[in-house]
């Protein structure tokens, strides 16, 4: 293996899809690239189990870092992320990937039966925290872009920050273009290089390989389900936040994906089936799926997700479903 | 004027669209119906100005209540709303309407330049609080539905709450229906009665007139704008929350609308034009609109919104734009 390692960060990595994403990243990416794998979640024991499950795979060139962090605690979130990222220098990596996966199902109940505490907790973790994790990740990888920009002496599409003020994003679009025209936010640059279609030596391809933010989404982001109002709203907010982020980075080295992993055979599905407040037809639907073995294996969905990251074959900012 | 009065609640009523919604409700609804108008916002002086602007209109039969409430302060929100609604008994009203309008533009900047405090403040007000205002409103009007249900001895489509547990929503859909089929969440009951198409005497029509939640939305709820990520996410979350609420009330007396009022000629537009962090092409676009007199007058948009409420001519849970 040659070249700089990859940095892969997985939130909610202590179980379920997060654990599978970590495992799949090692299985798929780790066979070709050295890697630093940063695992984050509230449960330290869960993270240790995930880490243990990875050792023994093709992980000789994988450095695993475990960071127990309560991402739902907004009063400590900024500091927690600063600490978790403090040992990382993006300039030492060929490519940085975030799987922004942490989230909770929250209360399932008709809106009128939701508790304020439950609603707030769900929004804090699923929206505010999830957005901030992405913001922190983009700031983490910024030095790498700046370095590349200097080395290449060209315009990487990176925003220039005026001194003493908030950053302004350089856009490639026509300033006179109607913002409500159907395609004004579509990416206008040619498709980014993929691993499959690299441009020769690994070093050359590596220099232009874009970083990736994967927002773990859901069908609930695009479809309202009764008794899932808070969960649906959280997923819709995340999708939209990441779509706007993608619109800011049309000409830069960041690619953004909202990936809906399908109805996974995890603890979350068990909770749905047992949730008194969940709409009966939804409980029945998922119970039938489980009985028929139609739920998606999280390892299979994680493999699809990691493949998407490696192949880069999606429109920046898009919502892609496991079943697409 | 005969029959019970209407209850109309407007949040963010101290200025801009909220003030216009209050004025237009009095102008349009107040000429036909007695009304209690509850105005809420953080600024007491702004609310007093709104109230003063209404007195002198056809407001002899309008009772104006002013409730200064900081809806963005989540530590007091539950209590604030309890207090604001404490004098109201929904059973004394023919119809209850909420204009869930309060919200803020927040920071406009590339996601990587957002501050955590600003992001959190925006989510607290635009998402958590806005959702909870709707939840509180639905609980406020619940006694009216229960009364009607008892009087009619029939099924009003209202959720039955099992004792000692979270409520379960009765759904009219087929329990075997795929939740991800394209039309499974569409309303399946006949269109509700409208004022225009009432069924005879006002009393009879009044008994079946549905209550209404209007979520003030935006084009930004359905379209990602660069440097508006947090604002877009907030509007997307609200739309989705209200769409899920609509899915819970397909067979009951609640109708839900997400109304995008268009680019309004208000303080908010002035802030966009002056925002250093806003994408240059968006600033230029809105500046051009303003120069050309193409921004929408808030009174005109408010009139359209109130007309939608009166006429009921939209699909429950839909996103309707001023320009539609």
């Amino acid at each position: 293996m040659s070249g700089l390692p990859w940095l892969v960060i997985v939130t909610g990595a202590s179980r379920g899809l997060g654990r599978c994403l970590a495992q799949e990243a090692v299985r798929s990416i780790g066979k070709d690239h050295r890697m630093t794998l940063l695992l984050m979640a509230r449960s330290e024991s869960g993270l240790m189990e995930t880490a243990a499950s990875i050792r023994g795979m093709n992980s000789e060139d994988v450095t695993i870092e475990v960071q127990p962090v309560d991402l739902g605690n907004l009063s400590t979130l900024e500091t927690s992320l600063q600490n978790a990222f403090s040992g990382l220098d993006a300039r030492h990596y060929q490519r940085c990937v975030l799987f922004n996966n942490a989230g909770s199902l929250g209360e399932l109940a008709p809106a009128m039966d939701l508790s304020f505490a439950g609603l707030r907790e769900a929004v804090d973790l699923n929206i505010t925290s999830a957005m901030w994790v992405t913001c922190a990740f983009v700031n983490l990888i910024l030095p790498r872009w700046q370095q590349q920009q200097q080395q290449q002496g060209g315009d990487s599409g990176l925003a220039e920050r005026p001194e003493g003020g908030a950053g302004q994003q350089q856009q490639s679009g026509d300033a006179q273009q109607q913002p409500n025209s159907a395609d004004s936010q579509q990416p206008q640059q040619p498709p980014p290089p993929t691993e499959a279609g690299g441009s020769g030596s690994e070093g050359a391809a590596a220099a232009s390989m874009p970083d990736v933010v994967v927002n773990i989404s859901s069908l609930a982001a695009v479809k309202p389900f009764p008794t899932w109002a808070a969960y649906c709203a959280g997923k819709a907010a995340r999708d939209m936040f990441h779509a706007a982020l993608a619109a800011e980075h049309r000409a830069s080295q960041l690619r953004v994906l909202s990936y809906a992993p399908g109805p996974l055979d995890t603890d979350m599905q068990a909770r749905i089936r047992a949730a008194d407040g969940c709409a009966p037809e939804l409980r029945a639907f998922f119970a039938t799926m489980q009985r028929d073995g139609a739920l998606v294996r999280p390892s299979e969905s994680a493999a699809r997700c990691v493949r998407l990251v490696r192949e880069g074959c999606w429109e920046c900012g898009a919502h892609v479903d496991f079943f697409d």
Side-chain angles (χ1 to χ4, degrees), chain A:
Chain A
M1 289 187 206
S2 62
L4 294 172
W6 286 33
L7 171 64
V8 176
I9 301 174
V10 184
T11 67
S14 60
R15 58 179 175 167
L17 180 66
R19 175 175 291 175
C20 291
L21 285 167
Q23 292 166 338
E24 196 56 39
V26 171
R27 184 175 293 125
S28 168
I29 301 167
K31 72 178 190 294
D32 300 321
H33 304 275
R34 291 186 298 131
M35 187 194 304
T36 295
L37 179 63
L38 174 57
L39 306 177
M40 299 168 73
R42 192 170 47 185
S43 163
E44 183 164 9
S45 61
L47 289 175
M48 298 310 286
E49 283 178 32
T50 301
S53 76
I54 289 167
R55 296 190 187 97
M57 298 166 60
N58 49 358
S59 59
E60 305 76 28
D61 290 306
V62 177
T63 305
I64 302 175
E65 289 194 24
V66 164
Q67 290 278 359
V69 172
D70 182 357
L71 294 171
N73 184 345
L74 298 191
S75 62
T76 56
L77 182 65
E78 272 191 287
T79 312
S80 298
L81 285 176
Q82 276 165 6
N83 293 341
F85 291 172
S86 63
L88 300 171
D89 185 335
R91 291 170 297 186
H92 299 163
Y93 295 96
Q94 181 186 109
R95 186 175 210 189
C96 303
V97 180
L98 168 67
F99 292 99
N100 192 336
N101 164 67
S104 71
L105 187 59
E107 289 179 276
L108 298 186
M112 63 187 173
D113 290 334
L114 293 172
S115 73
F116 179 69
L119 186 68
R120 184 176 183 178
E121 200 176 293
V123 172
D124 283 355
L125 175 62
N126 293 334
I127 304 181
T128 310
S129 173
M131 289 176 180
W132 190 248
V133 166
T134 288
C135 293
F137 175 75
V138 177
N139 276 286
L140 172 68
I141 58 184
L142 206 55
R144 200 166 84 80
W145 298 349
Q146 288 166 334
Q147 186 188 43
Q148 287 188 7
Q149 195 172 11
Q150 285 163 3
Q151 286 172 351
Q152 294 164 9
D155 178 11
S156 69
L158 178 64
E160 302 208 9
R161 298 186 177 198
E163 274 183 73
Q168 284 186 309
Q169 187 65 24
Q170 302 298 321
Q171 293 297 329
S172 59
D174 176 355
Q176 298 307 311
Q177 193 175 31
Q178 283 223 13
N180 56 350
S181 70
D183 59 353
S184 67
Q185 304 307 325
Q186 300 306 315
Q188 295 173 359
Q189 82 280 30
T194 65
E195 286 191 90
S199 57
S201 75
E202 188 177 26
S208 60
M209 275 176 74
D211 300 311
V212 181
V213 172
V214 180
N215 163 47
I216 295 300
S217 182
S218 166
L219 179 63
V222 293
K223 186 160 184 57
F225 292 135
T227 68
W228 292 37
Y231 183 77
C232 290
K235 290 297 189 184
R238 287 167 72 134
D239 266 31
M240 178 56 87
F241 185 84
H242 286 87
L245 176 72
E248 292 167 11
H249 289 270
R250 282 178 287 173
S252 81
Q253 300 112 315
L254 185 69
R255 304 208 74 228
V256 184
L257 170 68
S258 284
Y259 175 70
L264 301 177
D265 194 5
T266 60
D267 288 351
M268 188 172 138
Q269 277 290 330
R271 282 195 51 217
I272 293 168
R273 293 191 299 272
D276 285 342
C278 181
E281 74 273 25
L282 292 175
R283 290 177 67 183
F285 174 77
F286 289 120
T288 302
M289 283 196 88
Q290 195 233 359
R291 199 172 51 237
D292 297 348
L295 293 174
V296 177
R297 277 182 297 124
S299 58
E300 189 184 355
S301 189
R304 171 90 204 282
C305 185
V306 172
R307 205 159 58 238
L308 286 168
V309 168
R310 294 198 70 163
E311 295 176 356
C313 49
W314 76 90
E315 186 180 285
C316 188
H319 172 102
V320 175
D321 196 282
F322 174 77
F323 292 113
D324 287 344

